[in-house]
Amino acid sequence: MSSLRQILFLLGKDLRIELRKKESLISMAFFGALILVILNIAAGIGKQVDADTGAGILWVAIIFSAVLGLGRVFAREKENGCVAALLISPISPGEIFIAKALVNFSLMLLSQLVLVPVFYVLFGSHFNADPLALVPILLLLNLGFSTTGTLVSAISAGTRRNEVLLPILLFPLILPLTALAVKATAGALATRPFSERLEQLEPMLAFCLIFSAAGYLLFPFAIRED
Amino acid sequence: MTPLNRATFLPALATLLVPLAIGMIFFYAPLEKSMGIIQKIFYFHLSLAGAAFLSFFIACVSGIMYLLKRQRIWDARLAASIEIGVVLTTLVLISGSLWGRPIWNTWWTWDPRLTTSLILWFIFASGLILRSAIDEESKRATFCAVMAIIGFVDVPIVFLSARLWRSIHPTVIRSAGIGLESSMLVTLVVSMVAMLVFCAALFHLRCIQHQQESTVRDLQQQLQL
Amino acid sequence: MEHSTYLIIAYMAIWSGLSAYLFWLSGRQRQTARRLEILSNQLKRQENRS
């Protein structure tokens, strides 16, 4: 099998499990929507939030809900002893990394299909920004988050305290990417010109490339069971 | 130099240099005009910061070396440098706040350097938490090495994004090191060397201790078998 | 507050932080020494028995 087919095979397997059991996706979307509602109440009912605060609120909901789904992807493999089986199979650890990162990427994207409309309903009555302007920011953040998150969740799944350690290890690493995403989103919500946002999108892309490479190289060490 | 020699040499040198540096800071270096006496925090603040960044760099190198060679000594160096780095960064943040309060009139500001130190502190402190969560020795060393490498890779991105992040905000910081008088510069160099020697002694001590601990643990296991 | 107060607090914080770390290290060292002593006692007992 070529490596592309192996990656697609693994990706299909995980997505099929997800579609049948729907354990991650529903909890991700539900938890994210819950955070949005809580923050809406915390911001003061009936008050209009400005673009900066709105962008922050959207990303808090997305990041916290994404970490929920991230933990499941590896915990599921660990529970059934599947990691050992994956390592015995003729698939290289690098390909497992790509497949798992793609699973996380698609889960985040699918949950955002729910979260972004909920955000617009709750907060967006006075943002006349085009929701499509958010798409490049969402895609870049998902890429960076899923590659870093896959590496870190492989580490945290190997410890006794998976659920606690995952956000503790992941959030400091992901902080610069999130800060850039918040700023770019604030620009998009305030309908500033796209060229201004490039200033944040370019470092975000650099972050994604660096962490994809680092994750690909370091993942074999993180997943090895000895 | 034999290891035994070095174990006594570095602390001895540090006990000479640190009081010398403190004496120079208070009796040799002149008072800064605009900031006054509070500027005397700056010498050790900068030395601590330099030593902290150096120890995170050593952590990254030790992590890479551990993954390549799988020797216990590199895990000891990794653990020691992360631990010392976290201690030093904590002190940098505390002394920086105590300087910023009277000078900038705020405990904290999102300047790139402050942001980078804070995020580094979070990354490497999470590495310490990770170490405490794993019992198995080789697994702990491998995971910790991966985190140290990826944490250090994050540093330039953190700094870059902190600079971009700030660019819409008004800035309250200016560079403290520009236009140092020669006597101040000498004092700075002496205190920096003193701090580096002190940290090297600390690092060496911690490495030896780490190896002793794992040797004792090995003996314990052998006896119980 | 006076500037010198901040200065004193800062120096106290730096050096007490470093000495706290050293104390923690010496505590660990004592623990290792104790463990080693227990081990060597165990070893002696085993040798006496055999």
Side-chain angles (χ1 to χ4, degrees), chain B residues 18 25-26 35 37-38 40-41 44 48 83-84 87 91 94-95 98 101-102 107 195 198 202 205-206 209 212-213 216 219-220 223, chain C residues 1-4 6-7 9-11 13-18 21-22 24-30 32 35-36 39-40 42-43 46:
Chain B
V18 170
I25 288 169
F26 284 101
M35 286 185 252
I37 195 158
I38 197 78
K40 293 191 185 296
I41 294 180
F44 272 119
L48 283 168
E83 215 173 87
I84 293 172
V87 170
L91 297 178
I94 292 173
S95 63
L98 283 168
R101 178 67 200 156
W107 294 107
M195 194 44 89
F198 182 76
L202 217 55
L205 187 71
R206 189 74 183 95
Q209 198 183 28
Q212 277 177 347
E213 275 169 20
V216 168
L219 282 175
Q220 217 166 3
L223 272 178
Chain C
M1 258 199 286
E2 282 287 308
H3 279 193
S4 47
Y6 284 105
L7 182 74
I9 295 174
Y11 266 80
I14 290 176
W15 293 110
S16 60
L18 287 175
Y21 182 61
L22 274 174
W24 183 75
L25 281 188
S26 68
R28 279 194 83 119
Q29 192 64 54
R30 260 200 298 279
T32 314
R35 227 179 262 169
L36 196 62
L39 279 178
S40 54
Q42 240 176 341
L43 208 61
Q46 279 185 356

XYZ file of all heavy atoms in Angstrom, chain B residues 18 25-26 35 37-38 40-41 44 48 83-84 87 91 94-95 98 101-102 107 195 198 202 205-206 209 212-213 216 219-220 223, chain C residues 1-4 6-7 9-11 13-18 21-22 24-30 32 35-36 39-40 42-43 46:
549
model
N 29.682 35.929 43.914
C 28.369 36.517 44.208
C 28.476 37.689 45.195
O 27.942 38.767 44.918
C 27.382 35.427 44.695
C 26.119 36.048 45.237
C 27.043 34.485 43.551
N 27.602 46.120 42.897
C 26.322 46.735 42.548
C 26.025 47.901 43.486
O 25.587 48.968 43.062
C 25.189 45.688 42.611
C 25.313 44.725 41.459
C 23.821 46.362 42.599
C 24.433 43.527 41.571
N 26.313 47.711 44.791
C 25.907 48.749 45.733
C 26.966 49.815 45.981
O 26.638 50.936 46.340
C 25.471 48.107 47.059
C 24.117 47.482 46.947
C 23.976 46.117 46.778
C 22.980 48.280 46.947
C 22.725 45.554 46.641
C 21.733 47.725 46.806
C 21.609 46.356 46.650
N 16.047 56.659 37.239
C 15.338 55.634 37.997
C 15.764 55.586 39.454
O 15.037 55.106 40.311
C 15.567 54.265 37.370
C 14.801 54.063 36.093
S 15.012 52.406 35.500
C 16.043 52.642 34.089
N 17.671 54.383 42.847
C 18.255 53.185 43.453
C 17.619 51.900 42.939
O 18.237 50.834 42.934
C 18.157 53.292 44.996
C 19.074 52.269 45.660
C 16.740 53.115 45.464
C 19.444 52.635 47.051
N 16.381 52.009 42.472
C 15.666 50.808 42.037
C 16.365 50.135 40.854
O 16.215 48.945 40.623
C 14.207 51.180 41.660
C 13.320 49.944 41.596
C 14.126 51.911 40.369
C 12.905 49.444 42.923
N 19.164 49.170 40.625
C 20.115 48.144 41.058
C 19.523 46.740 41.017
O 20.243 45.765 41.149
C 20.630 48.481 42.463
C 21.468 49.743 42.463
C 22.186 49.943 43.741
C 22.929 51.273 43.774
N 23.991 51.343 42.759
N 18.203 46.621 40.841
C 17.610 45.295 40.622
C 18.082 44.744 39.288
O 18.319 43.554 39.136
C 16.063 45.374 40.612
C 15.535 45.775 41.976
C 15.456 44.042 40.223
C 14.035 45.875 42.022
N 21.032 41.881 38.593
C 20.749 40.466 38.814
C 19.552 40.003 38.010
O 19.471 38.834 37.619
C 20.545 40.178 40.303
C 21.833 39.870 40.996
C 22.298 40.652 42.027
C 22.597 38.795 40.581
C 23.503 40.378 42.623
C 23.797 38.505 41.176
C 24.257 39.305 42.208
N 19.887 36.739 35.830
C 18.973 35.610 36.023
C 18.298 35.248 34.712
O 18.167 34.069 34.367
C 17.911 35.972 37.061
C 18.304 35.950 38.524
C 17.218 36.605 39.348
C 18.499 34.532 38.988
N 14.498 22.135 35.661
C 14.170 22.559 37.018
C 14.797 23.911 37.343
O 14.124 24.835 37.815
C 14.697 21.501 37.979
C 13.842 21.291 39.182
C 14.374 20.123 39.954
O 15.264 20.315 40.790
O 13.924 19.004 39.694
N 16.099 24.035 37.057
C 16.788 25.296 37.350
C 16.196 26.426 36.517
O 16.011 27.538 37.006
C 18.298 25.141 37.099
C 18.872 24.179 38.130
C 19.016 26.470 37.192
C 20.289 23.793 37.873
N 13.019 27.617 38.147
C 13.309 28.412 39.350
C 13.788 29.809 38.959
O 13.283 30.826 39.461
C 14.382 27.703 40.212
C 14.860 28.621 41.317
C 13.833 26.433 40.799
N 12.084 33.682 39.457
C 12.743 34.813 40.104
C 12.839 36.012 39.157
O 12.698 37.161 39.588
C 14.139 34.403 40.583
C 14.129 33.306 41.650
C 15.535 32.941 42.034
C 13.350 33.762 42.861
N 9.445 37.659 39.192
C 9.183 38.367 40.446
C 10.003 39.661 40.498
O 9.472 40.752 40.764
C 9.513 37.467 41.659
C 8.519 36.317 41.733
C 9.467 38.266 42.949
C 8.862 35.287 42.775
N 11.314 39.546 40.216
C 12.144 40.751 40.327
C 11.750 41.772 39.257
O 11.785 42.975 39.506
C 13.626 40.391 40.223
O 13.911 39.833 38.968
N 8.739 43.638 40.472
C 9.072 44.571 41.539
C 9.789 45.801 40.985
O 9.778 46.863 41.596
C 9.964 43.879 42.574
C 9.197 42.947 43.500
C 10.140 42.078 44.285
C 8.341 43.763 44.456
N 6.766 47.899 38.906
C 5.761 48.613 39.702
C 6.154 50.074 39.944
O 5.393 50.970 39.602
C 5.536 47.843 41.010
C 4.564 48.478 41.963
C 3.158 48.485 41.421
N 2.365 49.489 42.116
C 1.286 50.064 41.613
N 0.886 49.741 40.421
N 0.621 50.949 42.293
N 7.337 50.370 40.483
C 7.668 51.793 40.665
C 8.030 52.517 39.360
O 7.780 53.715 39.248
C 8.880 51.764 41.611
C 9.421 50.397 41.532
C 8.323 49.492 41.137
N 2.392 46.270 37.613
C 3.097 45.030 37.942
C 3.423 44.253 36.680
O 4.392 43.536 36.611
C 2.262 44.139 38.853
C 2.012 44.701 40.207
C 0.836 45.209 40.665
C 2.927 44.806 41.285
N 0.972 45.612 41.951
C 2.249 45.388 42.368
C 4.279 44.464 41.445
C 2.860 45.637 43.586
C 4.881 44.705 42.660
C 4.180 45.295 43.721
N 26.432 34.988 38.387
C 25.195 34.219 38.316
C 25.388 32.957 37.477
O 24.886 31.886 37.832
C 24.096 35.111 37.732
C 22.696 34.587 37.903
S 22.378 33.949 39.534
C 21.828 35.394 40.360
N 27.301 30.462 39.526
C 26.399 29.930 40.545
C 25.466 28.884 39.933
O 25.278 27.793 40.483
C 25.601 31.091 41.144
C 24.671 30.683 42.233
C 25.167 30.386 43.494
C 23.311 30.595 42.008
C 24.309 30.003 44.498
C 22.459 30.216 43.017
C 22.957 29.919 44.273
N 25.049 24.882 40.513
C 23.733 24.310 40.836
C 23.401 23.168 39.890
O 22.964 22.082 40.294
C 22.690 25.416 40.702
C 21.538 25.462 41.683
C 22.068 25.482 43.088
C 20.704 26.686 41.415
N 25.564 20.128 40.549
C 25.083 19.479 41.768
C 23.836 18.658 41.484
O 23.719 17.489 41.876
C 24.780 20.562 42.797
C 24.407 20.118 44.204
C 25.643 19.560 44.873
C 23.862 21.287 44.982
N 22.899 19.261 40.752
C 21.615 18.600 40.501
C 21.802 17.368 39.627
O 21.128 16.359 39.821
C 20.665 19.595 39.839
C 19.254 19.112 39.723
C 18.571 19.136 41.071
N 17.230 18.601 40.972
C 16.919 17.334 41.220
N 17.838 16.483 41.578
N 15.664 16.925 41.114
N 23.253 14.633 41.735
C 22.218 14.149 42.636
C 21.235 13.241 41.900
O 20.857 12.181 42.391
C 21.492 15.352 43.219
C 20.720 15.012 44.440
C 19.954 16.194 44.942
O 19.583 17.082 44.179
N 19.690 16.230 46.204
N 22.811 9.948 41.346
C 22.855 9.180 42.589
C 21.497 8.568 42.886
O 21.384 7.392 43.216
C 23.240 10.093 43.748
C 24.726 10.314 43.884
C 25.032 11.277 44.994
O 24.130 11.954 45.502
N 26.281 11.370 45.369
N 20.450 9.396 42.720
C 19.110 8.896 43.015
C 18.776 7.697 42.155
O 18.256 6.687 42.630
C 18.076 10.008 42.791
C 17.917 10.903 43.995
C 17.100 12.126 43.679
O 16.359 12.119 42.681
O 17.217 13.105 44.429
N 20.754 4.631 43.287
C 20.190 4.044 44.509
C 18.925 3.260 44.183
O 18.709 2.159 44.687
C 19.898 5.158 45.540
C 19.052 4.627 46.672
C 21.185 5.714 46.082
N 19.889 -0.041 42.730
C 20.365 -0.959 43.770
C 19.197 -1.559 44.525
O 19.160 -2.765 44.787
C 21.280 -0.203 44.744
C 22.696 0.067 44.269
C 23.411 0.920 45.286
C 23.425 -1.247 44.071
N 18.225 -0.691 44.833
C 17.051 -1.139 45.557
C 16.340 -2.253 44.785
O 15.992 -3.294 45.345
C 16.108 0.052 45.728
C 15.389 0.080 47.029
C 14.759 1.438 47.264
O 14.825 2.322 46.405
N 14.157 1.623 48.398
N 18.319 -5.511 44.818
C 18.256 -6.214 46.092
C 16.936 -6.931 46.284
O 16.874 -8.004 46.855
C 18.472 -5.230 47.241
C 19.920 -5.014 47.634
C 20.000 -4.003 48.736
C 20.535 -6.326 48.083
N 4.986 53.497 48.121
C 6.166 52.880 48.719
C 7.446 53.487 48.155
O 7.470 53.895 47.001
C 6.155 51.381 48.448
C 5.708 50.566 49.644
S 6.221 48.862 49.496
C 5.098 48.231 48.254
N 8.460 53.521 48.987
C 9.761 54.023 48.532
C 10.369 53.067 47.519
O 10.127 51.862 47.551
C 10.711 54.134 49.739
C 10.464 55.344 50.599
C 10.929 56.621 49.908
O 12.091 56.653 49.455
O 10.132 57.576 49.814
N 11.196 53.610 46.642
C 11.885 52.752 45.689
C 12.785 51.747 46.382
O 12.898 50.602 45.964
C 12.737 53.616 44.742
C 11.918 54.206 43.646
N 12.474 54.785 42.535
C 10.588 54.292 43.481
C 11.508 55.215 41.747
N 10.366 54.936 42.302
N 13.441 52.190 47.484
C 14.380 51.287 48.150
C 13.653 50.090 48.754
O 14.211 49.003 48.853
C 15.154 52.046 49.224
O 14.261 52.808 50.005
N 11.119 48.515 47.373
C 11.016 47.547 46.282
C 12.334 46.842 46.057
O 12.388 45.635 45.812
C 10.586 48.252 44.988
C 9.135 48.611 44.950
C 8.708 49.914 45.121
C 8.175 47.630 44.710
C 7.380 50.244 45.080
C 6.843 47.948 44.668
C 6.445 49.257 44.855
O 5.128 49.568 44.806
N 13.418 47.606 46.147
C 14.747 47.031 45.925
C 15.033 45.947 46.947
O 15.450 44.831 46.604
C 15.804 48.140 46.026
C 17.228 47.699 45.765
C 17.419 47.455 44.289
C 18.209 48.741 46.241
N 12.871 44.267 48.761
C 11.983 43.118 48.548
C 12.502 42.263 47.395
O 12.539 41.042 47.484
C 10.545 43.587 48.261
C 9.954 44.297 49.473
C 9.665 42.402 47.906
C 8.605 44.904 49.198
N 12.946 42.927 46.327
C 13.404 42.175 45.163
C 14.631 41.338 45.501
O 14.704 40.157 45.154
C 13.725 43.124 44.018
N 15.594 41.948 46.222
C 16.784 41.172 46.567
C 16.445 40.033 47.495
O 16.943 38.915 47.351
C 17.854 42.090 47.185
C 18.799 42.568 46.121
C 18.429 43.611 45.292
C 20.006 41.927 45.891
C 19.252 44.024 44.272
C 20.838 42.334 44.875
C 20.452 43.395 44.063
O 21.266 43.786 43.059
N 13.639 38.490 47.601
C 12.929 37.471 46.823
C 13.919 36.619 46.040
O 13.825 35.387 46.045
C 11.935 38.140 45.873
N 14.870 37.273 45.378
C 15.823 36.515 44.557
C 16.605 35.533 45.420
O 16.641 34.335 45.158
C 16.802 37.478 43.842
C 16.075 38.262 42.759
C 17.950 36.699 43.229
C 16.942 39.297 42.078
N 17.203 36.059 46.501
C 18.108 35.165 47.249
C 17.351 34.178 48.098
O 17.814 33.041 48.299
C 19.113 35.978 48.045
C 20.020 36.687 47.104
C 20.045 38.027 46.866
C 20.958 36.110 46.186
N 20.947 38.319 45.869
C 21.522 37.162 45.437
C 21.378 34.803 45.919
C 22.467 36.953 44.445
C 22.327 34.597 44.939
C 22.864 35.661 44.214
N 16.182 34.558 48.607
C 15.444 33.553 49.366
C 14.906 32.481 48.424
O 14.837 31.307 48.800
C 14.317 34.190 50.180
O 13.425 34.833 49.322
N 14.571 32.862 47.201
C 14.142 31.854 46.237
C 15.240 30.863 45.936
O 15.032 29.648 45.984
N 16.433 31.373 45.691
C 17.548 30.479 45.385
C 17.896 29.608 46.585
O 18.166 28.409 46.437
C 18.768 31.287 44.943
C 18.654 31.898 43.541
C 19.849 32.773 43.252
C 18.558 30.801 42.487
N 15.466 26.821 46.989
C 15.766 25.732 46.061
C 16.900 24.878 46.594
O 16.853 23.642 46.553
C 16.116 26.304 44.685
C 16.407 25.264 43.642
C 15.432 24.339 43.280
C 17.641 25.189 43.015
C 15.687 23.376 42.331
C 17.909 24.232 42.063
C 16.928 23.326 41.720
O 17.189 22.370 40.776
N 17.938 25.531 47.139
C 19.066 24.782 47.703
C 18.622 23.922 48.881
O 19.051 22.777 49.021
C 20.165 25.750 48.145
C 21.145 26.142 47.047
C 22.096 27.200 47.553
C 21.929 24.921 46.585
N 15.685 22.681 49.333
C 14.913 21.566 48.773
C 15.862 20.483 48.262
O 15.655 19.288 48.492
C 14.027 22.098 47.648
C 13.144 21.073 47.064
C 12.009 20.555 47.618
C 13.308 20.426 45.802
N 11.471 19.630 46.778
C 12.235 19.524 45.651
C 14.248 20.522 44.781
C 12.093 18.735 44.532
C 14.097 19.729 43.662
C 13.030 18.854 43.546
N 16.943 20.937 47.610
C 17.929 19.984 47.098
C 18.576 19.208 48.250
O 18.742 17.988 48.163
C 19.024 20.718 46.322
C 18.724 21.155 44.904
C 19.986 21.675 44.256
C 18.185 19.998 44.100
N 18.920 19.925 49.339
C 19.589 19.225 50.433
C 18.620 18.242 51.087
O 19.028 17.168 51.536
C 20.133 20.222 51.450
O 19.070 20.849 52.114
N 17.331 18.597 51.101
C 16.335 17.662 51.606
C 16.312 16.379 50.792
O 16.298 15.268 51.336
N 16.349 16.542 49.476
C 16.381 15.371 48.600
C 17.625 14.548 48.833
O 17.603 13.322 48.819
C 16.349 15.814 47.138
C 14.985 16.139 46.630
C 15.016 16.224 45.129
N 14.895 14.898 44.570
C 13.895 14.539 43.781
N 12.968 15.393 43.476
N 13.825 13.330 43.304
N 18.750 15.269 49.042
C 20.020 14.584 49.249
C 19.957 13.739 50.504
O 20.400 12.591 50.517
C 21.132 15.640 49.352
C 22.520 15.071 49.275
C 22.784 14.442 47.927
O 22.608 15.075 46.907
N 23.187 13.185 47.918
N 19.370 14.319 51.565
C 19.230 13.573 52.817
C 18.396 12.316 52.601
O 18.717 11.250 53.109
C 18.579 14.462 53.872
C 19.563 15.070 54.844
C 18.867 15.512 56.101
N 17.871 16.551 55.823
C 18.165 17.844 55.668
N 19.402 18.248 55.771
N 17.224 18.724 55.440
N 18.038 10.610 49.855
C 18.835 9.621 49.127
C 19.820 8.941 50.065
O 19.997 7.720 50.021
C 19.606 10.304 47.993
O 18.736 11.166 47.305
C 20.159 9.284 47.033
N 18.041 6.439 52.164
C 17.704 5.246 51.394
C 18.922 4.349 51.217
O 18.838 3.126 51.330
C 17.173 5.673 50.022
C 15.897 4.935 49.663
C 15.391 5.384 48.328
N 14.348 6.380 48.439
C 13.892 7.079 47.403
N 14.405 6.898 46.205
N 12.934 7.951 47.559
N 20.065 4.994 50.971
C 21.304 4.244 50.769
C 21.678 3.509 52.047
O 22.116 2.351 52.020
C 22.415 5.218 50.384
C 23.656 4.601 49.766
C 23.303 3.916 48.475
C 24.679 5.686 49.504
N 19.589 0.505 52.483
C 20.042 -0.533 51.551
C 21.284 -1.236 52.073
O 21.380 -2.465 52.046
C 20.337 0.080 50.184
C 19.138 0.310 49.290
C 19.581 0.951 48.004
C 18.455 -1.003 48.996
N 22.260 -0.456 52.569
C 23.505 -1.089 53.006
C 23.250 -1.936 54.255
O 23.848 -2.997 54.415
C 24.591 -0.048 53.250
O 24.129 0.919 54.134
N 20.471 -3.522 54.844
C 19.845 -4.722 54.307
C 20.905 -5.690 53.805
O 20.856 -6.892 54.063
C 18.933 -4.330 53.150
C 17.491 -4.706 53.360
C 16.663 -4.175 52.208
O 17.072 -3.283 51.478
N 15.500 -4.728 52.029
N 21.874 -5.126 53.091
C 22.930 -5.934 52.487
C 23.743 -6.640 53.576
O 24.055 -7.826 53.469
C 23.830 -5.012 51.664
C 24.536 -5.649 50.479
C 23.504 -6.172 49.499
C 25.405 -4.606 49.793
N 21.871 -9.508 55.027
C 21.866 -10.652 54.114
C 23.189 -11.394 54.179
O 23.234 -12.628 54.182
C 21.601 -10.181 52.686
C 20.121 -9.949 52.413
C 19.877 -9.603 50.976
O 20.806 -9.466 50.194
N 18.614 -9.465 50.615
